[in-house]
Amino acid sequence: MPTLKPHGLALLALLTVAGGAAAQEVPAWSFAIHGGAGTIERASLTPEQDAAYRVSLARALEAGAAVLRDGGAALDAVQAAVELMEDDPLFNAGRGAVFTAAGTNELDAAVMNGTDRSAGAVAGLITTRHPIAAARAVMEQSPHVMLIGPGADTFAASLGLEQVPPSFFFTQRRWDQLIRVLTEQGRPTPLPPAGAPGSPLGMAATAPAPPLDERKFGTVGAVARDSRGHLAAGTSTGGTTGKRPGRVGDVPVIGAGTYASNADGCAVSATGDGEFYIRATVARDICARIAAGQTARAAAQAEVDDALSLGGYGGVVVMDTRGQPAFALTTPGMYRGGVTADAAASVAIYADEE
Ligand code: ASP
């Protein structure tokens, strides 16, 4: 387990300070993740919840770091960490994903390999346990970039990727959240999916509010630079609570929520209001800004601000060719963390921790 340093992102920031010889050092490898952005404030998390998120983030960081420490590929590190977070019910991806208005989980994911700008994406999965693995399979084992719906699940199954009943993704917390949102909006509430231990209709609507307002956010993502200097990015999500069935967000849209290019010198994974992140082409524009000479930090902030100017909140994690993770957010918090060959893992939640 890596050392937990709640304010440790400041250490990573120090590595980027211009001038000193140390600032020129490029760590042998570097890795960073996010677990979603949103209205996450100190007052909204109990100490136990705060600690639980930090432990989960540290575990995911270590999963990626272990791959990179062994000389593994950026893409493998990204997949390892995202799969762990997909299985973690704290995050809105895989198990623990938010529900559509119809009471179903529809999962989106994407990966991109900066080496050759190959990319794979899936949308609307309902039975594939690890959507990020399906996205990678699309990239590596099909001539396509994006597969959706039953065809995507069938493709994943045909390659031996683990299939689960839809109720596998069910969590009471997300179900209660759906019922509350739909009730507040005066929309009809669905029955829990078959096989789920779901609450009886009507009871969930009166359940106490969860401490977090995560109605929109909670996506997971990772960016990596491996010891060969290759960059990769991956993102996975259940989308947004109460979304219309069939809705696809920014995550699997290459250039919106996910992008990586060695040539541009960047890898990006985003979280936020997907519709606005698509319209602002956030991930691709960050890379274009970096290719034009902006710092990762400045490029990231400019693009989350651009999405915000359209009305969309969220955040991004960016990796550059110097192995310096950068984060930017327009929400009070974003679950996030970074680790390099030279710096111990550090995690953060609230905006002011940077
Ligand atoms: N960006 C995701 C979507 O719109 C949601 C999130 O980041 O949590 O599907």
Side-chain angles (χ1 to χ4, degrees):
M1 182 65 63
T3 313
L4 288 184
K5 293 179 184 166
H7 299 279
L9 289 178
L11 292 179
L12 294 176
L14 279 176
L15 296 173
T16 67
V17 173
Q24 305 309 315
E25 295 294 330
V26 176
W29 53 264
S30 185
F31 188 62
I33 59 172
H34 70 77
T39 311
I40 309 160
E41 293 163 321
R42 283 187 177 78
S44 63
L45 283 179
T46 65
E48 293 74 24
Q49 289 169 326
D50 180 296
Y53 272 101
R54 290 178 195 273
V55 167
S56 284
L57 289 168
R59 201 182 289 139
L61 275 178
E62 177 52 26
V67 171
L68 297 168
R69 210 178 280 127
D70 281 356
L75 207 53
D76 291 330
V78 164
Q79 182 175 351
V82 172
E83 284 195 4
L84 211 60
M85 291 192 280
E86 287 176 337
D87 280 343
D88 189 333
L90 285 182
F91 301 109
N92 170 21
R95 192 160 186 224
V98 301
F99 288 91
T100 70
T104 52
N105 297 115
E106 295 185 2
L107 311 173
D108 302 341
V111 289
M112 189 154 180
N113 184 352
T115 311
D116 58 1
R117 281 187 289 161
S118 56
V122 288
L125 296 185
I126 59 172
T127 59
T128 301
R129 176 172 175 177
H130 292 122
I132 196 77
R136 184 166 177 179
V138 171
M139 177 175 81
E140 293 178 339
Q141 302 189 57
S142 90
H144 309 301
V145 168
M146 186 187 289
L147 292 180
I148 63 165
D153 277 320
T154 301
F155 171 74
S158 74
L159 294 172
L161 298 187
E162 185 177 350
Q163 302 296 297
V164 293
S167 59
F168 172 85
F169 301 112
F170 182 96
T171 57
Q172 190 66 44
R173 174 190 183 207
R174 295 296 188 189
W175 184 260
D176 291 348
Q177 184 180 54
L178 172 73
I179 299 300
R180 187 174 311 105
V181 166
L182 294 178
T183 302
E184 278 174 14
Q185 296 174 351
R187 298 161 72 190
T189 52
L191 290 168
S199 54
L201 188 62
M203 283 182 64
T206 57
L212 299 177
D213 182 0
E214 288 179 323
R215 292 177 183 186
K216 291 182 174 173
F217 309 131
T219 292
V220 306
V223 291
R225 179 191 177 281
D226 65 28
S227 54
R228 285 174 296 284
H230 297 322
L231 297 165
T235 318
S236 183
T237 188
T240 52
T241 300
K243 68 183 181 182
R244 180 176 285 277
R247 176 264 189 189
V248 177
D250 59 317
V251 166
V253 177
I254 301 302
T258 309
Y259 199 78
S261 164
N262 285 10
D264 286 343
C266 84
V268 181
S269 173
T271 176
D273 284 311
E275 283 71 8
F276 297 94
Y277 276 57
I278 292 172
R279 289 166 54 196
T281 56
V282 166
R284 175 69 192 105
D285 282 1
I286 288 172
C287 290
R289 286 176 182 273
I290 290 173
Q294 283 192 11
T295 65
R297 182 62 171 264
Q301 193 62 53
E303 287 303 317
V304 295
D305 287 345
D306 185 38
L308 183 63
S309 75
L310 298 176
Y313 290 84
V316 294
V317 54
V318 181
M319 182 67 66
D320 66 14
T321 43
R322 303 191 53 74
Q324 304 300 339
F327 303 88
L329 50 154
T330 55
T331 52
M334 179 166 78
Y335 303 110
R336 60 200 188 278
V339 58
T340 76
D342 302 339
S346 56
V347 299
I349 298 178
Y350 313 107
D352 62 9
E353 285 187 74
E354 286 185 273

